[in-house]
Amino acid sequence: MTLQQLEYVIALNTYRHFVTAANKCFVTQPTITIQVKKLEDEIGFAIFNKSKSPFEPTELGEMFINKAEVILREVLELKNMVSTELDNIEGSFKLGVIPTISPYLIPLISGSFSEKYPNTFIQIEEMQTHAIISALQKGEIDLGILVTPLEESFIREVKLYNEPFVFYCQKNHSFAQNTTISTKDIEGIGNIWLLNSGHCFRNQVLNICSNTSTDKNIQFQSGSIEALKSMVNNYGGFTLVPEMAISEYDKGCNIHFKDPKPIREVSIVTHYSFAKDALIDALRKEILDKTPKEFEKNKRFIKINWR
């Protein structure tokens, strides 16, 4: 027994004519005839007395039709309720954002998003990638913003933008006068400052800067890109930063890469069971509106994996 078969029965009861009922259901007359016959065989009695013209419901058929009408009405109400709920973004939600994105992206979108959606409350927490994946699986958070692809079967990825990497050094560095550099230029050069283990950005930087080393007598790793920039400013060496970390107040030099640029793919991620597409879309539009337009326009790039 299917909802479609119930709809055919209701149509036949309304129009008392197979061709007319089929037309109203946008199917052929044989289709509606076969499906109603299958239904009658399944339930064990005839719904309509076809010996009369026009045909009419049997006694059991009338009881069946009355119940079918109730069921279809309740199904319609359920569909309307689900549709309304999916389009409604009011409520409280939890969002995890990796530390190399959070301080640069969240301040850009928080004010405008809050003004547009005053009844939507988002609790934002900085979390490393592995923690976001775990929290999504356990249902502890609703959304994440991080670097993809993750290649996790239970996670849905909604791409936001491609963010280029930028080379950061002191103004007296040998590359300081360069307008651009290539990934080959930095192969094997030393004195790199890195984020702590566990940050996906660290892994991406190491994938770009192969064979790096340091001759400094101080070894320092941090969870903050701004701290790494400060180490470069005061102690030399270099680091790579995401383009959104560039500031007019930087004391060092920010040098962009030539095409094809190394980039990181930034996405909104959710568990596949999360059904609030309206919220995802609202957040996505706000982010794309506030991030540099060239992020979306980069057609030539090298995607740097973090695993």
Side-chain angles (χ1 to χ4, degrees), residues 2 46 53 82 89 111 119 132 198 266 269 279 296 301:
T2 66
S53 184
V82 170
I89 67 172
N119 296 318
I132 291 177
V266 178
V269 297
L279 176 61
E296 303 163 57
F301 58 84

Side-chain angles (χ1 to χ4, degrees), residues 166-173 175-177 232-233 250-255:
V166 177
F167 184 91
Y168 186 79
C169 62
Q170 285 186 339
K171 291 184 178 179
N172 61 359
H173 192 278
F175 288 165
Q177 302 306 313
V232 171
N233 295 338
D250 285 339
K251 294 180 180 180
C253 292
N254 292 295
I255 306 172

Side-chain angles (χ1 to χ4, degrees), residues 26-40:
F26 303 102
V27 296
T28 62
Q29 183 268 325
T31 297
I32 201 168
T33 301
I34 291 170
Q35 289 301 317
V36 172
K37 180 63 169 61
K38 284 184 178 180
L39 178 59
E40 289 178 328

Side-chain angles (χ1 to χ4, degrees), residues 231-242:
M231 290 301 291
V232 171
N233 295 338
N234 293 283
Y235 205 57
F238 77 96
T239 190
L240 298 191
V241 301

